[in-house]
Amino acid sequence: MRHWLPASTSGSGITPTPNLTGSALGAMVHQLGDDGFACGMLQELAPVLPAASWSVYRTGRHCKPTLFMSASYGIPDTTQDCWWAYLSGPYRTDRTWGRSLDEAAPAEAPTQLCHLTAPEVDAEHRARVYEAHGVAERVSVVEHESDGSVFAVNFYRHQHQKPFQDRQISDFEGMAPVLLALTRKHIALAQRPGVLQPALQPSAQATVPALSHSLPALRERLLRAHPGLTERELDVCARLLQGMTQEGIACDLGLSLPTVKTYRNRAFSRLGIHFRNELFALALGTQRSV
């Protein structure tokens, strides 16, 4: 696993291959704000960085984990499943960004690049996210934000693909600042009223329905699992599915932490589960049964 600064800040002078700086960049800019941007990004990058899937998300101790967009190209799309598997536990101890969520953010938080292979990931993270979904390698461009959260644009090689070559990673390094800027601009455009919202982008070859992370949709899935859940139990469990901590839920709902724990325990008892990861598995199973 390695982390380094992109060429634009490190002064290494690496530049991407010419075919990307022309037609590919033009196509990406043309698709900004459109619902085909997520799929189009993978297709345009394929000649230089043949990733089978990608994702854009923010995670951190002081923010709600958010998947802004994801897609796959040439394979069935399991990126939503990967995200939920990540939220079921691994994201709290994820050190692939150079530190865990519980550690203080660095005084200076530059944009960084990250390259890793599945064996370099912690065992739980590797088993639930990488091995379970056939992911073998990842390159990312990451912004460490002022509140300690991480905004990451990730491209994944899957097990059926050949390893990324040094030239491909160098090309990605040269393109990383532009890809980051394009992604942030697309998110800003997509969040405008009347435009497709984050994390609901159709994939290139989707076989799994998109999962909505809105509270009403999560409450509906929980009610399918057990119609007897109370309003407060639904409030707490839906927020757990959004990745919020119990402390965050207490603040959001204006409740004490012991009260939140009581509602959580009562709901888990009704559902016949004991752990947060079982709640994620139950929600996923309910979605697939629709």
Side-chain angles (χ1 to χ4, degrees), residues 235-259:
D235 288 339
V236 169
C237 286
R239 284 164 174 79
L240 286 172
L241 288 171
Q242 285 190 322
M244 295 179 67
T245 64
Q246 294 185 67
E247 291 82 359
I249 294 171
C251 292
D252 193 44
L253 295 177
L255 302 173
S256 68
L257 181 57
T259 299

Side-chain angles (χ1 to χ4, degrees), residues 182-210:
L182 285 171
T183 301
R184 282 198 175 276
K185 183 63 176 178
H186 174 73
I187 292 171
L189 291 171
Q191 289 179 330
R192 292 179 178 177
V195 182
L196 192 67
Q197 295 299 309
L200 298 180
Q201 310 282 4
S203 66
Q205 294 188 16
T207 59
V208 179

Side-chain angles (χ1 to χ4, degrees), residues 19-232:
N19 66 328
L20 256 179
T21 59
S23 60
L25 274 178
M28 293 178 201
V29 171
H30 183 71
Q31 294 181 31
L32 283 172
D34 294 342
D35 58 10
F37 178 82
C39 300
M41 176 74 84
L42 281 179
Q43 295 178 49
E44 298 299 336
L45 284 177
V48 171
L49 186 73
S53 62
W54 81 310
S55 67
V56 181
Y57 60 74
R58 177 184 288 115
T59 184
R61 187 177 181 181
H62 302 294
C63 74
K64 182 179 72 175
T66 302
L67 177 66
F68 293 100
M69 71 185 88
S70 65
S72 294
Y73 178 58
I75 61 170
D77 184 23
T78 60
T79 54
Q80 295 278 350
D81 285 2
C82 285
W83 174 245
W84 280 57
Y86 184 59
L87 287 187
S88 71
Y91 90 100
R92 295 183 174 279
T93 56
D94 185 2
R95 299 187 62 85
T96 64
W97 309 121
R99 61 182 176 84
S100 69
L101 293 184
D102 293 328
E103 296 179 27
E108 293 186 7
T111 299
Q112 289 185 321
L113 299 179
C114 174
H115 173 227
L116 60 85
T117 57
E120 297 176 285
V121 181
D122 290 344
E124 180 190 25
H125 189 174
R126 181 173 66 249
R128 292 191 184 184
V129 180
Y130 284 72
E131 294 175 350
H133 302 95
V135 178
E137 191 174 4
R138 187 189 87 202
V139 290
S140 306
V141 53
V142 183
E143 282 189 329
H144 295 273
E145 301 185 327
S146 58
D147 64 354
S149 61
V150 172
F151 179 86
V153 180
N154 314 285
F155 295 88
Y156 307 94
R157 173 181 68 84
H158 287 241
Q159 293 172 358
H160 70 282
Q161 297 177 292
K162 295 180 180 179
F164 290 142
Q165 300 174 7
D166 290 343
R167 180 67 241 185
Q168 293 169 337
I169 295 173
S170 293
D171 285 341
F172 174 73
E173 177 178 352
M175 285 293 295
V178 179
L179 296 176
L180 183 63
L182 285 171
T183 301
R184 282 198 175 276
K185 183 63 176 178
H186 174 73
I187 292 171
L189 291 171
Q191 289 179 330
R192 292 179 178 177
V195 182
L196 192 67
Q197 295 299 309
L200 298 180
Q201 310 282 4
S203 66
Q205 294 188 16
T207 59
V208 179
L211 294 172
S212 172
H213 300 308
S214 70
L215 287 172
L218 294 172
R219 289 168 62 95
E220 181 180 349
R221 285 204 292 279
L222 289 166
L223 279 173
R224 292 196 194 105
H226 197 296
L229 291 171
T230 67
E231 289 296 310
R232 276 309 192 194

